[in-house]
Amino acid sequence: AAGGDVPSPFRRRQTRHWLAILAVRRRLEMGERGRVVLKMGQTQLAEKINAKQKSISRYETGASMPSISTLVKIAKVLKKPAGYFLDE
């Protein structure tokens, strides 16, 4: 469309992709609260999922995104369903 009035299918896909990433980041922030409720530090969580503390920090602040397999490991340790970080 002229002037970009109607988003292209690519743009819509890109927007959905970023909305999904934002949803995961929001869930990771909630996961941080869950970690604190369980009285677990970032280092303890990192050890349980075989990661570095710095990685946990980056996931929780949104500076980095974990892989799906890492999300599943985090969910298991935090006693959440496997898809916890992926649902909107």
Side-chain angles (χ1 to χ4, degrees), residues 21 24-25 28 54-67 71:
I21 288 173
V24 169
R25 285 188 178 158
L28 282 166
K54 190 169 189 168
S55 295
I56 302 300
S57 175
R58 287 180 177 181
Y59 302 155
E60 290 180 351
T61 62
S64 178
M65 289 292 294
S67 67
L71 284 174

Side-chain angles (χ1 to χ4, degrees), residues 17-57:
H17 173 75
W18 282 110
L19 288 174
I21 288 173
L22 290 173
V24 169
R25 285 188 178 158
R26 197 169 42 247
R27 291 290 185 148
L28 282 166
E29 290 170 2
M30 292 168 64
E32 176 184 9
R33 289 193 293 272
R35 177 181 58 75
V36 172
V37 166
L38 292 173
K39 298 182 181 184
M40 182 183 306
Q42 289 179 344
T43 302
Q44 290 172 302
L45 176 57
E47 288 171 357
K48 289 179 184 275
I49 66 164
N50 197 26
K52 295 179 180 180
Q53 177 273 327
K54 190 169 189 168
S55 295
I56 302 300
S57 175

Side-chain angles (χ1 to χ4, degrees), residues 61-82:
T61 62
S64 178
M65 289 292 294
S67 67
I68 297 294
S69 63
T70 300
L71 284 174
V72 170
K73 290 176 189 178
I74 293 170
K76 185 175 180 180
V77 170
L78 297 180
K79 301 176 182 174
K80 302 291 183 189

